[in-house]
């Protein structure tokens, strides 16, 4: 799994950080997503999928084949 974030789409809602704090963080200035781990461990995959699904701006893409 590989995660791709589109910072331009991010609205700073922070749902990803609440769901997967080991993978996502937010910029303190504007709340825009910061990707901490582009290729997370298998035990984090479910949380990453959920974070991508609930992102209100659809700023998180998950490539399952990478």
């Amino acid at each position: 799994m590989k995660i791709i974030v589109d910072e331009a789409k991010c609205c700073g809602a922070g749902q990803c950080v609440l769901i997967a704090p080991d993978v996502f963080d937010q910029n303190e200035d504007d709340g825009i997503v910061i990707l901490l781990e582009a290729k997370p461990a298998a035990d984090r995959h479910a949380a990453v999928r959920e974070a991508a699904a609930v992102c209100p701006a659809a700023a998180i893409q998950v490539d399952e084949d990478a």
Side-chain angles (χ1 to χ4, degrees):
M1 168 185 281
K2 181 179 178 185
I3 306 164
I4 301 142
V5 296
D6 185 341
E7 294 175 5
K9 285 185 176 180
C10 180
C11 65
Q15 296 301 307
C16 56
V17 179
L18 294 173
I19 294 168
D22 294 329
V23 180
F24 303 101
D25 199 356
Q26 285 179 282
N27 183 312
E28 290 184 21
D29 294 330
D30 56 12
I32 299 300
V33 66
I34 298 170
L35 183 60
L36 301 175
E37 192 174 356
K39 292 189 175 188
D43 64 332
R44 296 182 176 147
H45 287 190
V48 168
R49 287 184 194 102
E50 182 180 352
V54 302
C55 178
I60 302 169
Q61 302 272 330
V62 178
D63 182 351
E64 297 283 355
D65 298 325

